[in-house]
């Protein structure tokens, strides 16, 4: 009996050690961001050949100097504002276009709806890296170079397919009876969508908002291709590209920007992860 | 016997709001139009550009047939980039599958603190990739690398590792960052798939005396195969078509040795203003995408047939 208990105890310890190993690998760069953000320069820029200076901990008092520099002497606040503008515009376009499309595919479209749904999903696989060169040409022809509008127009090309697919899955899980009942009560088919379905679809729409937000925050290549002025950049472009003076990176401010941007996104993402997985696994896990 | 009044017969309504097939098309049309115009046209344009000598900044161009492809194929930098793309994509998928399956086995168990650990595990996937890559660039810094310091103190390193300054180490750094970014995502997908393993089969195997490895390879992994395939297919797309990791980590250097197709396409097409050659390079990504698309279609079809 005691041997059995010992085995169980050993297993428990094993699980913790393994879990900690994975978490350490995943979280290490964030620990490094946080440490760098608050370290004084004299603590930060010590050659790694100096084995007596332990880089893993604070060797001098923490400082807010890097964050102060970031918010007062760089364009970071402007980038946050630009990102917010693009996010709001793209979210609006995506919700207005993707929610009805997802409903149509889930409920109204017959046999061709299935194929159409898969077709829309497959366009999500056509990556920006294949399209940025022709887009650079189109954006120039439209006169949108170096304008946030170029991003507002182009970003829905990947948010709409992905969100239509997410919304379609969501509407399939809303019980059909509710809609039938409303139609018996005399609502038209369109009336049912606006008065009944949308009310139940609020969590689904919220998911669309969250994933549009994260997809826009992640985007880099279109922004890099279209935007050249520092004051028009988004966060994910400006931080890696423009927080450099000459050849010198401001690592403290740079890691501060990365940290501040990451924390809210990580929290939001964590709350919506399960729905995201459901969308991506194409129902393969439900078998 | 007849009831005094039967069910009320509603006259069939023919308003727009009730015609389902029309409504379906109208609700779907904006999405299809947006995607057709803004994905379809650039996609066709990408193919057309690859047969032209178009340059950024000028509107005139002429057709040059296959000469962009010929130029690209005889260019050692391009061949290196193509090879790098294949090496990185394959290596990352192999490592991610091993790591994600192992992590899912661990995180399947119930233990105290699992929620907070899951939060940390998911961080790499949630955070904007460009910001995370900058953290890795700093971690691999040639002078201040914490990796080198730790290896030195542990007595494992005698010389010095210039992570982003050598072709081999550069590729290894790229692979590490891509694995780091993708394995949490794959872990979550595999975890979701584990719920589909029938517990009675596993229990029967335990009764019959099957050990851990036998259970893993003969029961659990076969059940997990469809889900792992989904993770791998997405992984292929996310790795092969990603530009930001290589662009920010090594910039394709030293001496163009760590380029992948997207970064080389950017360098030639946008920075070098040669749109035709850039488009031709980017189109070599199509085989990777086709593999992923065909794989996903097959899985989608199978899960449709399998569902009740």
């Amino acid at each position: 009996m005691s041997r059995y208990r010992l085995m169980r105890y050993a297993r428990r310890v094993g699980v913790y050690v393994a879990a900690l190993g994975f978490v350490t690998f995943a979280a290490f760069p964030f620990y490094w961001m946080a440490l760098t953000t608050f370290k004084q320069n004299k603590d930060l820029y010590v050659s790694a050949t100096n084995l007596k200076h332990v880089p893993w901990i604070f060797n001098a008092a923490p400082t807010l100097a890097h964050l102060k520099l970031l918010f007062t002497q760089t364009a970071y606040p402007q980038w946050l504002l630009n990102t917010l503008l693009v996010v709001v515009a793209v979210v609006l376009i995506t919700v207005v276009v993707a929610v009805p499309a997802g409903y149509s595919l889930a409920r109204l479209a017959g046999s061709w709806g299935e194929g159409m749904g898969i077709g829309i999903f497959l366009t999500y696989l056509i990556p920006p890296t294949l399209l940025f060169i022709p887009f650079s040409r189109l954006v120039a022809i439209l006169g949108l170079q170096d304008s946030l509008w170029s991003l507002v127009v182009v970003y829905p090309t990947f948010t709409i397919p992905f969100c239509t697919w997410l919304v379609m899955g969501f509407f399939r899980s809303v019980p059909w009876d509710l809609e039938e009942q409303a139609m018996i009560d005399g609502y038209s088919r369109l009336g049912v969508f606006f008065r009944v379905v949308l009310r139940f679809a609020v969590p689904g729409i919220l998911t669309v908002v969250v994933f549009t937000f994260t997809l826009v925050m992640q985007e880099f290549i279109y922004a890099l291709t279209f935007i050249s002025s520092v004051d028009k950049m988004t966060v994910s472009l400006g931080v890696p590209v423009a927080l450099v003076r000459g050849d010198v990176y401001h690592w403290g401010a740079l890691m501060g920007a990365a940290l501040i941007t990451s924390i809210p996104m990580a929290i939001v993402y964590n709350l919506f992860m399960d729905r995201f997985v459901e969308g991506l696994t194409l129902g393969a896990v439900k078998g | 016997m007849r009831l005094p009044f039967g069910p009320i017969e509603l006259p069939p309504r023919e308003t727009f709001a009730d015609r389902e097939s029309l409504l379906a098309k109208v609700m779907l049309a904006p999405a299809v139009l947006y995607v057709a115009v803004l994905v379809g046209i650039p996609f066709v344009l990408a193919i057309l550009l690859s047969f032209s000598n178009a340059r950024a900044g000028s509107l005139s161009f002429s057709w040059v047939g296959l000469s962009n492809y010929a130029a690209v194929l005889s260019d050692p930098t391009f061949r290196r980039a193509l090879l790098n793309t294949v090496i990185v994509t394959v290596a990352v998928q192999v490592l991610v599958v091993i790591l994600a399956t192992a992590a899912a086995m661990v995180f399947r168990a119930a233990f105290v603190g699992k929620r907070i650990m899951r939060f940390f595990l998911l961080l790499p996937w949630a955070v904007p990739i460009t910001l995370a890559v900058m953290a890795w660039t700093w971690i691999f810094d040639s002078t201040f690398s914490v990796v080198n310091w730790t290896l030195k103190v542990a007595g494992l390193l005698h010389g010095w590792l210039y992570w982003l300054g050598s072709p081999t180490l550069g590729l290894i750094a790229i692979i590490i960052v891509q694995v780091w970014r993708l394995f949490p995502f794959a872990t979550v997908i595999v975890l979701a798939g584990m719920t589909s393993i029938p517990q009675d089969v596993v229990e029967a195997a335990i009764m019959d005396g099957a050990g851990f490895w036998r259970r893993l390879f003969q029961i659990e992994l076969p059940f997990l195969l469809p889900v792992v395939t989904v993770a791998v297919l997405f992984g292929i797309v996310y790795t092969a078509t990603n530009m930001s990791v290589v662009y920010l980590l090594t910039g394709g250097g030293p001496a163009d040795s760590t380029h992948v197709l997207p970064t080389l396409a950017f360098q030639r097409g946008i920075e070098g203003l040669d749109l035709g050659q850039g488009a031709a390079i980017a189109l070599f990504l199509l085989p990777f995408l086709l593999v992923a698309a065909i794989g996903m279609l097959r899985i989608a079809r199978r899960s449709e047939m399998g569902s009740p």
Side-chain angles (χ1 to χ4, degrees):
Chain A
M1 205 61 190
S2 74
R3 201 175 136 202
Y4 177 70
R5 276 181 66 177
L6 200 70
M7 284 261 292
R8 254 182 55 173
Y9 186 69
R11 250 182 103 156
R12 180 118 298 206
V13 171
V15 164
Y16 270 107
V17 169
L20 265 179
F22 288 116
V23 167
T24 306
F25 178 45
F28 159 61
F30 299 98
Y31 174 71
W32 209 242
M33 275 180 202
L35 208 59
T36 307
T37 305
F38 298 110
K39 266 192 179 183
Q40 294 182 37
N41 276 338
K42 65 174 183 193
D43 191 8
L44 207 50
Y45 299 111
V46 178
S47 166
T49 48
N50 179 354
L51 298 187
K52 291 219 179 69
H53 177 269
V54 182
W56 290 92
I57 51 166
F58 285 104
N59 297 285
T63 172
L64 290 173
H66 300 306
L67 287 182
K68 206 174 147 199
L69 177 96
L70 180 69
F71 278 98
T72 57
Q73 289 176 48
T74 74
Y76 181 69
Q78 180 69 44
W79 298 335
L80 282 177
L81 193 67
N82 292 345
T83 309
L84 189 70
L85 287 175
V86 174
V87 164
V88 169
V90 175
V91 162
L92 278 178
I93 294 174
T94 307
V95 168
V96 168
V97 173
V99 171
Y103 182 73
S104 167
L105 289 175
R107 281 282 194 274
L108 300 170
S111 52
W112 53 273
E114 196 78 41
M116 210 70 173
I118 290 177
I120 284 192
F121 180 75
L122 286 183
T123 56
Y124 172 70
L125 295 182
I126 299 178
T129 28
L130 205 63
L131 302 179
F132 71 98
I133 287 177
F135 262 132
S136 74
R137 185 108 193 171
L138 290 177
V139 163
I141 290 170
L142 293 172
L144 294 176
Q145 317 100 298
D146 206 15
S147 153
L148 289 175
W149 286 108
S150 62
L151 305 182
V152 173
V153 170
V154 171
Y155 284 178
T157 57
F158 55 81
T159 59
I160 288 175
F162 183 73
C163 291
T164 301
W165 182 265
L166 267 184
V167 170
M168 181 179 81
F170 181 81
F171 279 132
R172 285 203 174 136
S173 69
V174 174
W176 178 226
D177 311 1
L178 290 167
E179 289 165 63
E180 263 185 340
Q181 186 57 48
M183 274 192 279
I184 291 168
D185 290 349
Y187 285 115
S188 70
R189 200 72 194 72
L190 195 62
V192 169
F193 176 71
F194 280 113
R195 309 248 174 88
V196 182
V197 177
L198 282 187
R199 203 173 304 157
F200 284 97
V202 168
I205 294 170
L206 204 62
T207 314
V208 168
V209 172
V210 167
F211 284 109
T212 304
F213 168 65
T214 56
L215 286 172
V216 168
M217 291 294 294
Q218 296 270 2
E219 211 288 323
F220 176 69
I221 185 164
Y222 286 140
L224 180 68
T225 309
F226 305 153
I227 306 286
S228 48
S229 319
V230 169
D231 64 329
K232 298 233 177 68
M233 288 179 173
T234 54
V235 170
S236 68
L237 174 64
V239 171
V241 172
L243 278 183
V244 192
R245 291 277 155 77
D247 265 354
V248 184
Y249 285 104
H250 292 269
W251 285 113
L254 213 158
M255 291 296 105
L259 188 70
I260 291 171
T261 319
S262 300
I263 291 170
M265 291 202 63
I267 291 170
V268 168
Y269 214 86
N270 208 48
L271 296 175
F272 283 83
M273 191 66 198
D274 295 327
R275 209 172 280 287
F276 179 74
V277 173
E278 228 170 78
L280 283 187
T281 46
L282 306 152
V285 297
K286 280 187 192 147
Chain B
M1 191 186 125
R2 255 185 79 104
L3 289 166
F5 39 82
I8 304 156
E9 291 267 336
L10 286 172
R13 288 187 295 188
E14 273 302 318
T15 58
F16 160 74
D18 277 301
R19 290 176 58 190
E20 282 209 358
S21 65
L22 184 65
L23 204 58
K25 285 177 186 125
V26 169
M27 288 173 100
L28 194 56
V32 172
L33 271 179
Y34 209 113
V35 169
V37 170
L38 284 173
V39 178
I41 290 179
F43 185 68
V44 172
L45 196 57
I47 296 170
L48 293 179
L49 280 172
S50 74
F51 296 109
S52 80
N53 63 355
R55 297 186 69 78
S58 109
L59 284 174
S60 63
F61 63 91
S62 50
W63 302 112
V64 294
L66 288 169
S67 77
N68 281 327
Y69 289 95
V72 151
L73 281 172
S74 61
D75 176 356
T77 306
F78 168 79
R79 287 201 297 242
R80 184 70 208 252
L82 184 61
L83 182 69
N84 285 346
T85 310
V86 174
I87 290 173
V88 170
T89 306
V90 172
V92 167
Q93 304 327 307
V94 170
L95 291 170
V96 163
V97 165
I98 294 170
L99 269 180
T101 312
M105 297 273 171
V106 171
F107 277 84
R108 172 172 57 172
F111 54 88
V112 181
K114 185 170 155 176
R115 278 184 80 91
I116 186 79
M117 282 215 187
R118 198 185 95 131
F119 172 78
F120 282 115
L121 189 75
L122 286 179
L123 277 178
W125 185 246
V127 161
I129 175 67
T130 60
L131 306 183
V133 175
M134 289 321 286
W136 281 105
T137 309
W138 172 226
I139 287 164
F140 286 131
D141 188 275
S142 59
T143 316
F144 306 107
S145 173
V146 62
V147 180
N148 283 4
W149 185 90
T150 310
L151 289 176
K152 276 246 178 223
V153 167
L156 296 168
L157 178 66
H158 296 291
W160 194 249
L161 296 176
Y162 293 95
W163 283 97
L164 308 176
S166 109
T168 316
L169 284 176
L171 269 191
I172 291 174
I174 289 165
I175 290 170
I176 289 175
V177 175
Q178 293 280 21
V179 168
W180 173 82
R181 176 173 84 109
L182 288 173
F183 97 90
F185 159 74
T187 303
V188 174
I189 289 191
V190 175
L191 262 177
M194 280 184 169
T195 53
S196 71
I197 300 175
Q199 279 314 301
D200 45 342
V201 177
V202 178
E203 274 157 27
I206 294 174
M207 291 290 203
D208 292 345
F212 173 79
W213 294 107
R214 202 141 170 232
R215 257 177 10 238
L216 178 67
F217 281 103
Q218 298 195 339
I219 297 169
E220 303 196 312
L221 287 187
F223 271 112
L224 287 179
L225 195 63
V227 167
V228 170
T229 312
V230 169
V232 167
L233 294 175
F234 272 104
I236 289 173
V237 175
Y238 287 143
T239 322
T241 70
N242 174 274
M243 181 183 99
S244 50
V245 171
V246 177
Y247 182 83
L248 294 172
L249 204 60
T250 67
D256 288 339
S257 60
T258 59
H259 267 302
V260 287
L261 293 177
T263 54
L264 192 64
F266 187 84
Q267 194 190 56
R268 297 281 165 84
I270 303 296
E271 292 172 350
L273 305 180
D274 190 341
L275 294 179
Q277 206 180 94
I281 293 170
L283 280 173
F284 278 87
L285 288 170
L286 270 184
F288 295 91
L289 300 173
L290 273 178
V291 168
I294 291 169
M296 283 189 200
L297 280 181
R298 295 186 68 167
I299 286 180
R301 188 162 308 149
R302 198 178 314 155
S303 74
E304 230 166 79
M305 289 192 311
S307 64

